[in-house]
C-alpha cells in the first residue's frame, strides 16, 4: 500500500531558525527577535511603561483638579494674600503691606483654611521663610495663633539647622517667639522645648560664640527673661563662669560689646526672682561687678554695666556702689572718656546728701582739683551736671571759684563753657524742673478739661454781646476806609504846600484815633507793673485783647497806605 502524500510546511520552526544569521553562519548582527523570550519581555515592558505614564498624567490632572476645587472652596482674599508677589525688587512699603495682609488673613482664617495655607504655601519652605525679612512674621504668627502641630513642625525644622539660623536676625526672632510660646504652653510642645533647653544649657565653644554674637545672644537674653526654676538656674550657672570670675579660658562677657548685654539682663531680672539659689547667683554677679567697678567704668562697653546698676539696680547695690567705690574714685573717673558717663549717672541717681558730700570732700576741697575738673575735655560734663543739682549756697561757692579762676586767666575753652553754663543756669534746675512740670501736667489735665467745659458754657452765654461788638467794629472799619478814600481823591488835586498840610492833618487824625483806641483798651492789660499776664487771661479776655490789637494795626496800615499814595 502506498504511503499517503504529506504536504511540505514552509513555515516550519526549523526552517525559520535556519534563516537567522546565528544559525546560517552569517556575520550579520543578531536581531532582537532572535530569542522569543527577549521579544516577550520587550513587549511587556513597553506596555507597562505606557500604563505608568498614563497613570502619572492622570494623577497630575487629578491633583490640578483638586487644587482648583480647594481654591474655589476658600476665601479669595486668603489665596490672594498668600500668592502675592514677595520679590525683592518690590518696594519696602509694598512688601510690608503684603506681609501684614498674610498675617491678618491667617489670623482670621478657620482651622481648615489654616491647614490649607500651611500645607500649600509654607510647609515645604520653612527655612526660606525664617530667613526672609518680611515673611518671617508669618512664621511668628503661626507659632502664636496656629495649631500646635504646625508650630511643632516649624520648631523642629528650625532646630535641625539651629547653628546656622540662630545667627540670622529674622530666624532668631522666630526662635524667640517659639521659645516664648513653648514656655507658656509646655504641654503642647514638650519635645521641642526639651530640645531647645538642652541646646541653651550646653557649655562648649559654640555656646561661647553665641554669647558674644551680635544676633545669637538675643536668644540668651530672651531665655533669661522668660525661663524659671531649674531651667534658669542651669543657664545662670553656665554664665556665671564667664562673668568676672577667675576662669582659665580667658573668656570674659562683661567687657565684650554684646556680652555686656547679658550682664545687664541679669541685673534687670534680679528683683523678679524668688528662688533662693537663682537670686544668690544673680546677687554674686552684681556684687562682683561693683567690686570691679574701678576697671569696668573705664572700659568702652563694661561701663554700661555700672550705669545699669545706677539706673535699674536695687537700692542696696546702689548704695554700696556709690558710697564705697564711686565717691572715692570720682575725680579720676571723671577725667576718663567712658568714666565721665558713669560720673554723670552717679550725680543724677544719687541723693542730695551724697552730692553735698561729693562737693565738699572731693570737688571743692582744693582749687587745683576744681580747676582740673573744669578744664578737662571729659570732666567738664559731670561738673555741669553737678551744678544743676546743687543747692543755692553751693552754687554761690561754685560761681565764686569760677570767677577766681577766670580772673587769673586759668580757664581754657572747656572752663569757659562751664562758666557760661553756670551763669545761664544760676537760678534754674533744669532736670528737677522737668520732673516737677511732668507731675504738675498730670495733675492739671483734669482741671484743664473742666476749665474748657466751663469756658464753652460761658462763651455760649456771652455770645450775643460779642456779636454786637463785632458788628460795631466792622461798621467802624468801613467808615474809616470811606474817609481815607475821600481824602485821597481830594489830596490828589493839591499842590506841594497843600500836600504837606494834608499830611499834618492826617497825622493829627491818626493820633486822635489812637488816643480813642487807648481809652477803649481793655483795663486788664495796662502798661504798669500790675498788669495781668496774657496766659492767665480767660478766653473771652484774650479775644478782647486781640481785637483791640487788630484795630490798632489796621489803623497804622491805613495811615501808611495813605502816605504812600500821596507820595506817588
Amino acid at each position: 500500500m502506498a504511503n499517503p502524500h504529506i504536504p511540505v510546511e514552509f513555515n516550519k520552526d526549523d526552517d525559520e531558525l535556519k534563516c537567522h544569521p546565528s544559525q546560517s553562519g552569517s556575520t550579520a548582527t543578531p536581531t532582537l527577535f532572535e530569542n522569543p523570550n527577549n521579544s516577550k519581555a520587550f513587549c511587556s515592558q513597553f506596555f507597562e511603561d505606557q500604563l505608568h505614564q498614563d497613570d502619572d498624567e492622570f494623577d497630575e490632572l487629578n491633583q490640578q483638579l483638586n487644587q482648583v476645587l480647594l481654591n474655589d472652596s476658600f476665601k479669595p482674599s486668603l489665596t490672594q494674600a498668600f500668592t502675592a508677589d514677595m520679590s525683592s525688587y518690590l518696594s519696602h512699603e509694598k512688601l510690608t503691606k503684603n506681609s501684614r495682609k498674610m498675617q491678618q488673613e491667617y489670623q482670621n482664617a478657620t482651622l481648615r483654611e489654616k491647614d490649607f495655607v500651611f500645607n500649600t504655601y509654607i510647609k515645604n519652605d520653612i527655612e526660606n521663610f525664617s530667613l526672609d525679612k518680611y515673611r518671617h512674621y508669618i512664621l511668628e504668627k503661626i507659632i502664636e495663633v496656629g495649631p500646635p502641630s504646625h508650630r511643632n513642625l516649624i520648631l523642629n525644622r528650625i532646630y535641625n539647622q539651629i547653628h546656622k539660623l540662630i545667627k540670622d536676625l529674622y530666624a532668631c526672632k522666630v526662635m524667640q517667639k517659639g521659645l516664648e510660646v513653648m514656655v507658656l504652653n509646655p504641654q503642647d510642645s514638650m519635645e521641642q522645648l526639651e530640645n531647645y533647653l538642652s541646646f541653651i544649657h550646653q557649655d562648649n565653644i559654640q555656646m561661647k560664640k553665641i554669647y558674644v554674637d551680635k544676633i545669637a545672644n538675643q536668644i540668651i537674653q530672651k531665655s533669661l527673661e522668660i525661663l524659671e526654676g531649674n531651667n534658669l538656674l542651669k543657664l545662670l550657672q553656665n554664665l556665671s563662669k564667664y562673668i568676672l570670675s577667675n576662669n582659665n579660658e580667658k573668656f570674659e562677657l562683661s567687657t565684650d560689646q554684646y556680652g555686656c548685654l547679658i550682664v545687664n539682663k541679669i541685673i534687670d531680672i534680679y528683683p523678679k526672682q524668688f528662688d533662693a539659689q537663682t537670686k544668690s547667683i544673680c546677687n554674686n554677679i552684681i556684687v562682683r561687678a561693683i567690686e570691679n567697678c574701678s576697671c569696668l567704668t573705664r572700659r568702652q562697653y563694661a561701663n554700661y554695666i555700672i550705669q545699669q546698676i545706677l539706673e535699674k539696680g536695687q537700692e542696696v547695690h546702689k548704695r554700696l556702689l556709690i558710697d564705697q567705690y564711686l565717691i572715692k574714685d570720682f575725680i579720676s573717673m571723671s577725667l576718663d572718656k567712658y568714666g565721665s558717663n558713669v560720673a554723670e549717672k552717679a550725680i543724677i541717681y544719687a541723693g542730695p546728701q551724697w552730692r553735698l558730700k561729693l562737693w565738699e570732700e572731693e570737688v571743692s576741697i582744693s582749687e587745683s582739683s576744681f580747676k582740673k575738673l573744669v578744664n578737662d575735655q571729659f570732666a567738664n560734663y559731670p561738673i555741669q551736671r553737678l551744678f544743676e543739682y546743687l543747692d543755692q549756697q553751693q552754687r554761690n561757692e561754685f560761681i565764686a571759684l569760677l570767677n577766681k579762676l577766670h580772673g587769673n586767666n586759668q580757664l581754657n575753652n572747656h572752663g569757659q563753657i562751664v562758666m557760661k553754663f553756670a551763669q545761664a543756669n544760676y537760678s534754674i534746675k533744669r532736670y528737677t524742673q522737668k520732673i516737677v512740670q511732668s507731675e504738675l501736667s498730670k495733675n492739671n489735665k483734669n482741671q484743664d478739661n473742666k476749665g474748657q467745659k466751663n469756658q464753652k458754657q460761658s462763651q455760649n452765654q456771652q455770645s450775643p454781646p460779642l456779636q454786637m461788638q463785632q458788628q460795631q467794629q466792622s461798621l467802624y472799619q468801613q467808615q474809616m476806609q470811606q474817609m481815607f478814600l475821600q481824602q485821597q481823591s481830594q489830596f490828589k488835586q493839591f499842590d506841594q504846600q497843600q500836600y504837606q498840610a494834608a499830611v499834618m492833618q492826617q497825622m493829627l487824625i491818626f493820633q486822635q484815633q489812637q488816643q480813642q483806641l487807648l481809652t477803649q483798651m481793655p483795663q486788664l492789660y495796662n502798661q504798669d507793673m500790675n498788669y495781668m499776664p496774657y496766659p492767665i487771661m480767660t478766653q473771652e479776655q484774650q479775644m478782647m485783647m486781640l481785637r483791640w490789637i487788630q484795630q490798632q494795626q489796621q489803623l497804622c496800615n491805613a495811615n501808611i497806605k495813605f502816605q504812600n499814595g500821596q507820595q506817588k
Side-chain angles (χ1 to χ4, degrees), residues 34 116 274 345 381 394-395 498 518:
E34 181 178 352
F116 164 71
F274 298 100
K345 288 292 174 67
Y381 296 106
Q394 285 77 38
R395 288 191 174 196
Q498 292 175 341
L518 289 173

Side-chain angles (χ1 to χ4, degrees), residues 16 23 72 75 106 171 195 274 355 358 365 367 387 438:
E16 203 172 291
Q23 299 293 333
D72 291 342
K75 294 183 296 185
Y106 183 86
N195 292 335
F274 298 100
R355 288 191 285 266
L358 176 67
I365 190 171
E367 184 178 340
F387 179 83
S438 63

